[in-house]
Amino acid sequence: MDPMTLIMLGLVAVLIFFMFRNSKKRQAQMAEMQNNMQPGAEVMLQSGIYGTIVSVDEEENRVTVQSGTSTLVVHRNAVGQVVTPADAPVEDSEAATLAPDDDPEFGERFAPVEDAAAEAESNLDSTVDAATDAATDLDGATAAEKRDDKNSDKE
């Protein structure tokens, strides 16, 4: 046989192998999702509606889903995915207790609470000192301008 024909047949065989493999994976995922469809599980329908399963009727292939105050009866295949299974433990993570503004800035380090309070007090003192320096200047120049003048001859 011609080497090009062998290469082509090999590529077709690899393609068919991957098609069957993907098909089996999809079937396993669908079977797992069908097993997770139990009352109490949070699901998303294919239309994008989120809800909680109230009951599953195996004979009629119907699922009763409650979304807010509405109750929907849909076909089992209308369930797009199970968001949280009924037997999934509720995670109490530390991330849920932090507010979004608690994140440090880039390069900022976390400090213990006592250090943060002392730092805030020292910042307040320096702000008051700077305000009094600017207000009591007799020459009409602010403290910042004087500092700029002192540093200008260092350049």
Side-chain angles (χ1 to χ4, degrees), residues 132-143 145-146:
T132 55
D133 286 347
T136 59
D137 189 17
L138 298 176
D139 295 341
T142 64
E145 291 172 346
K146 286 183 179 180

Side-chain angles (χ1 to χ4, degrees), residues 37-130:
M37 285 179 34
Q38 299 171 352
E42 186 179 345
V43 296
M44 183 184 79
L45 302 179
Q46 287 183 356
S47 59
I49 298 172
Y50 285 89
T52 305
I53 295 178
V54 177
S55 66
V56 179
D57 184 7
E58 300 284 338
E59 295 171 3
E60 296 288 323
N61 285 329
R62 293 183 182 189
V63 178
T64 305
V65 178
Q66 184 174 6
S67 177
T69 58
S70 303
T71 303
L72 307 168
V73 179
V74 296
H75 194 273
R76 282 181 77 131
N77 290 342
V79 176
Q81 73 184 76
V82 176
V83 178
T84 54
D87 56 353
V90 177
E91 295 180 14
D92 189 22
S93 65
E94 183 180 325
T97 60
L98 293 177
D101 59 347
D102 288 346
D103 293 338
E105 293 295 324
F106 179 75
E108 182 181 1
R109 296 180 186 212
F110 284 111
V113 176
E114 297 85 24
D115 292 345
E119 183 180 338
E121 187 176 325
S122 69
N123 286 342
L124 179 64
D125 290 341
S126 66
T127 304
V128 169
D129 291 341

